[in-house]
Amino acid sequence: MPLTHTEIAALVAKESAYRRMDDDRTRGAGGLGVKVLPSGGKMFVFRYTRNEKRAFIQLGRFPTLSLADAREKAKAFSQMIRDGLDPKDELARQDREREQEKREHEQQGTIEQLFKSYTEQMKKDGKRTHAAVLLALEKETYPVIKPTTKAKDVTAHDIKIILAHMIRRGADTQSNRVRSYLMAAFNHGLKHDAKFGLVLNPVAAIPKQKAAERVGERFLTWAEARQLLDDMEQPTSLGLTLRTLIRLCFFTGGQRPYELAASRWASIDWQAKTLTITAELSKNGRPHLIPLTDSALRVLREQQAATGDSPFIFAHATKPSEPMPMASLSQAIDRYRKRAEMAHFIPRDFRRTCKTLMGELGIAKDLRDRLQNHALNDVSSKHYDRYEYLPEKRRALELWERRLLDLAADNVISASFGGRV
């Protein structure tokens, strides 16, 4: 017979727990029961067969849970069994889903989400620095602000602490960069107010470190440039790939190291003696055609013989399907500079060196700008002039190459005569 509220209320406790089942005349899909505890408490349970053994699921205490509601719960579990589901497994799955939803809710609008949302947008916009920006934000922010902190709870004081830590360790310039990253990230969040709940940008009130932002002035002298290129011709602790990249930066008139490093062999036209920096690699989003001198071709052929099957001219040392990381070049230059006891310089200074020294050779500024693929903002260049200036660029690079090679010859003569020429 089916259980009644009166019958359940009249059940008395015994020395050990026992159950009274509800006979609803269904078979094979489990059933409702009441477990009477020695304390006198009564618990509704759902009983079914699981892996050929009886299994029980607690539904709730009587009379807090009514008999009618207990039957509804039991009915839902019985339907799961009819649908081929195990109620306990299904409950576990639902618990996992709730836990996942809880975690997602807790993470909603966090500073971690803000940084990832901002840098993902950078990636969609074709900004190749997106990964470096995310790394810098995480490195400098998380020691001060936990990643789970809601973005709307970050204050100007928090930002000051982040930047102060950087300034104290002497990273003034980097502190300005991180400040600009934070400013842009929070501006991005303001555009998505429903997600982050921001009403203001906490970075806006924090000034930049003006003394840290100086225009770069370092460029290598002719003698330093020649010493560097001579050393890069010789096997050293720097591998061939790094030495080739450095030489190619110079022989192509100061191209951006990243654009060369991320280029593929398919971008070289060996017959026409050109290398194309494709639009997706070019900083200004326009393809850039570079004439290759004999010296550039020579180091490229050396590199090609050593790279194997990688599609990249400058492949990652352990991941041939990826280009080499720029950190490798910076680290290599730092090691070389200390060993050679040269004044401080970084890879970025190669570009300034070539621009400056080519100017000393009498190569016109507009041609040097075109050689280095600077964004030309006059109306004619932006909208109408699609001429590649390839012959002019080739003549300029050949003049540049001759000067570099003449310096090499001067070095040989100087060495032969004990430095007296």
Side-chain angles (χ1 to χ4, degrees):
M1 294 290 291
L3 289 170
T4 66
H5 179 91
T6 302
E7 183 181 0
I8 296 172
L11 293 173
V12 295
K14 298 180 180 179
E15 288 186 2
S16 54
Y18 67 95
R19 298 180 187 88
R20 180 69 58 84
M21 300 306 296
D22 185 33
D23 184 6
D24 60 358
R25 303 186 183 280
T26 62
R27 295 290 182 269
L32 176 67
V34 176
K35 183 178 182 179
V36 183
L37 304 172
S39 63
K42 302 176 178 76
M43 175 71 70
F44 283 115
V45 296
F46 178 77
R47 185 182 71 183
Y48 73 108
T49 301
R50 184 175 195 251
N51 299 327
E52 299 182 356
K53 295 181 180 179
R54 284 185 175 179
F56 295 89
I57 298 173
Q58 292 185 356
L59 304 181
R61 283 189 173 273
F62 173 85
T64 304
L65 179 67
S66 70
L67 177 58
D69 289 341
R71 283 200 172 109
E72 286 299 316
K73 286 190 173 186
K75 186 190 293 186
F77 286 131
S78 294
Q79 187 59 49
M80 289 180 190
I81 294 172
R82 294 189 189 95
D83 292 339
L85 301 174
D86 185 302
K88 283 197 172 184
D89 290 343
E90 191 64 12
L91 285 174
R93 183 189 64 78
Q94 291 172 3
D95 285 343
R96 289 194 298 271
E97 286 183 354
R98 281 192 293 271
E99 186 61 31
Q100 178 65 22
E101 288 174 1
K102 180 182 175 183
R103 283 197 298 268
E104 290 176 357
H105 177 73
E106 289 173 349
Q107 293 174 355
Q108 188 73 15
T110 63
I111 193 75
E112 180 179 27
Q113 272 197 330
L114 177 64
F115 291 166
K116 289 183 177 178
S117 177
Y118 167 58
T119 52
E120 276 299 313
Q121 187 60 52
M122 287 182 67
K123 185 176 181 180
K124 291 176 184 176
D125 293 340
K127 305 291 186 183
R128 65 191 183 211
T129 57
H130 64 90
V133 169
L134 178 60
L135 183 64
L137 286 169
E138 292 176 336
K139 175 186 174 184
E140 304 298 346
T141 302
Y142 293 165
V144 178
I145 306 172
K146 291 182 179 180
T148 54
T149 303
K150 301 292 185 183
K152 63 183 177 61
D153 294 333
V154 176
T155 66
H157 180 68
D158 295 327
I159 303 298
K160 283 182 180 178
I161 294 174
I162 293 169
L163 301 179
H165 285 176
M166 301 180 69
I167 293 166
R168 276 200 294 271
R169 71 170 190 256
D172 292 27
T173 300
Q174 181 65 2
S175 76
N176 277 346
R177 290 177 186 155
V178 170
R179 178 194 172 279
S180 71
Y181 301 158
L182 287 164
M183 174 74 87
F186 278 97
N187 280 339
H188 170 81
L190 283 167
K191 296 176 183 177
H192 301 79
D193 56 323
K195 183 174 183 179
F196 296 104
L198 293 167
V199 294
L200 55 82
N201 189 327
V203 190
I206 314 298
K208 294 172 64 175
Q209 294 292 304
K210 292 183 179 179
E213 295 299 325
R214 302 186 183 92
V215 175
E217 296 180 354
R218 174 68 165 122
F219 66 93
L220 277 64
T221 63
W222 285 107
E224 288 175 325
R226 190 59 257 171
Q227 179 185 344
L228 174 64
L229 291 176
D230 282 346
D231 289 343
M232 293 304 103
E233 293 286 344
Q234 309 300 323
T236 65
S237 59
L238 276 64
L240 175 64
T241 295
L242 286 165
R243 291 189 287 114
T244 300
L245 178 57
I246 292 168
R247 288 180 289 172
L248 193 62
C249 283
F250 275 84
F251 288 132
T252 56
Q255 302 305 317
R256 295 180 179 92
Y258 169 81
E259 293 178 1
L260 293 176
S263 289
R264 299 170 181 260
W265 289 111
S267 296
I268 296 178
D269 186 328
W270 296 97
Q271 187 172 1
K273 299 182 179 181
T274 60
L275 166 64
T276 300
I277 303 296
T278 56
E280 62 269 21
L281 295 179
S282 172
K283 185 176 180 179
N284 62 19
R286 289 173 126 183
H288 176 42
L289 189 62
I290 307 168
L292 297 174
T293 64
D294 290 342
S295 296
L297 289 166
R298 173 178 60 81
V299 297
L300 281 168
R301 288 194 180 99
E302 290 177 10
Q303 180 68 10
Q304 188 180 43
T307 53
D309 299 327
S310 174
F312 292 98
I313 302 174
F314 299 97
H316 192 292
T318 58
K319 303 174 185 175
S321 60
E322 298 178 12
M324 64 172 285
M326 285 296 91
S328 299
L329 177 62
S330 298
Q331 292 163 4
I333 286 297
D334 191 52
R335 292 196 305 272
Y336 166 79
R337 180 183 54 76
K338 291 175 181 175
R339 188 171 64 251
E341 298 182 349
M342 292 176 69
H344 185 273
F345 67 90
I346 58 176
R348 190 175 180 180
D349 297 327
F350 295 164
R351 191 167 170 81
R352 186 180 302 108
T353 296
C354 295
K355 189 75 171 284
T356 303
L357 299 185
M358 284 193 295
E360 289 187 16
L361 283 179
I363 298 172
K365 181 180 181 302
D366 68 322
L367 189 53
R368 284 179 281 148
D369 287 344
R370 294 183 188 280
L371 267 170
Q372 294 193 341
N373 199 25
H374 285 293
L376 302 175
N377 294 318
D378 59 285
V379 173
S380 174
S381 297
K382 285 177 68 175
H383 300 289
Y384 302 110
D385 190 356
R386 293 297 176 262
Y387 178 54
E388 291 286 355
Y389 291 84
L390 186 61
E392 293 86 349
K393 290 191 289 188
R394 190 178 296 281
R395 285 194 294 271
L397 282 181
E398 287 172 349
L399 175 63
W400 168 244
E401 177 190 47
R402 283 197 300 274
R403 177 59 175 145
L404 290 176
L405 295 181
D406 285 346
L407 282 171
D410 290 346
N411 283 352
V412 172
I413 294 171
S414 178
S416 299
F417 287 86
R420 297 183 301 276
V421 293

